[in-house]
Amino acid sequence: LRSFAYGGQSIHRCKTAMLDHLQPGDKVLFAGVGRGKDAIHAAQLGADVTVVDMSETMLQSFQRNLAKVETKGSIRQIHRDIFKVMEFEQYDMVVANFFLNVFVRGTMLQVLRHLIDLGKPGANIVIGDFAPAANNPFARFIKALYWYPAILFFCLVTQNALHWIYEYPYALKLLGLEIVDKKHFGFGRMKSY
């Protein structure tokens, strides 16, 4: 309900957009799964899903959502810090939806590197998150009005890092990856996610 109030269906569509690349039986890891409707959708498509979250509250919320549906694939839950997940080169897809933005830039790059290492060679690394504003000064101003209330709220209640929207394509290229697909989801007239 909270993400719907903030972004309509755009956030959910962003979180599930790349799951159409999955094949039944693919192994998928969701880092910082939260309530996990995207992970449940992957399991409904037949993927074998592993979800990781440090928050017991979020995993309980995930479990409540999972109890409402049937899945074709399996789901395994891990309650720990993502850096303590050492299942290197095990996953066909590694998903970080609205997860990397909780870290300061240096830590975000370390987490991203770790997520890449969890994927098999050639794995898909999927990031769903806020999209940077266009180079237009007015668009950047509007994006700032949209972004900063959300990030300030999360800084206050969850101790997330305060930062501008990350340029993930740049970070992925810096870490040696190639962008093979990119989708934008709008809220209003902005390419928000």
Side-chain angles (χ1 to χ4, degrees):
L1 180 60
R2 285 173 273 197
S3 66
F4 181 79
Y6 191 71
Q9 286 292 327
S10 296
I11 292 174
H12 178 70
R13 287 184 9 245
C14 174
K15 287 180 166 186
T16 59
M18 295 300 173
L19 299 181
D20 58 1
H21 292 278
L22 290 174
Q23 299 296 318
D26 279 355
K27 291 182 68 177
V28 185
L29 180 129
F30 284 81
V33 72
R35 290 177 174 79
K37 291 182 180 178
D38 47 350
I40 292 168
H41 182 72
Q44 288 174 316
L45 294 173
D48 292 323
V49 173
T50 298
V51 300
V52 180
D53 208 302
M54 279 184 46
S55 169
E56 182 67 33
T57 302
M58 286 291 100
L59 287 174
Q60 289 170 358
S61 181
F62 171 78
Q63 190 61 42
R64 284 190 298 274
N65 286 334
L66 180 59
K68 298 174 189 175
V69 298
E70 296 286 324
T71 62
K72 296 176 188 174
S74 64
I75 295 184
R76 179 171 64 111
Q77 298 178 53
I78 299 176
H79 178 216
R80 71 174 63 121
D81 183 310
I82 193 64
F83 283 120
K84 294 183 179 172
V85 176
M86 303 295 199
E87 299 170 354
F88 299 114
E89 297 188 359
Q90 296 298 308
Y91 295 96
D92 300 292
M93 180 181 282
V94 178
V95 180
N97 283 327
F98 296 85
F99 174 64
L100 295 170
N101 67 20
V102 305
F103 304 105
V104 295
R105 180 170 164 57
T107 305
M108 179 274 291
L109 290 170
Q110 291 173 345
V111 172
L112 183 53
R113 174 81 260 164
H114 184 73
L115 296 178
I116 292 167
D117 291 343
L118 296 174
K120 296 176 181 177
N124 289 309
I125 307 300
V126 176
I127 301 171
D129 215 324
F130 287 88
N135 290 329
N136 175 320
F138 180 72
R140 284 197 306 269
F141 174 74
I142 295 299
K143 182 60 75 89
L145 288 177
Y146 187 69
W147 164 255
Y148 276 108
I151 193 69
L152 288 171
F153 172 78
F154 285 109
C155 286
L156 292 172
V157 296
T158 64
Q159 300 177 352
N160 284 13
L162 180 61
H163 57 82
W164 185 236
I165 299 170
Y166 289 134
E167 295 273 355
Y168 293 115
Y170 173 77
L172 292 168
K173 289 178 185 175
L174 182 71
L175 294 171
L177 296 182
E178 173 189 347
I179 308 277
V180 294
D181 198 358
K182 187 182 206 181
K183 298 177 184 178
H184 281 97
F185 298 90
F187 185 68
R189 293 182 171 208
M190 290 185 295
K191 290 182 176 178
S192 301
Y193 312 104

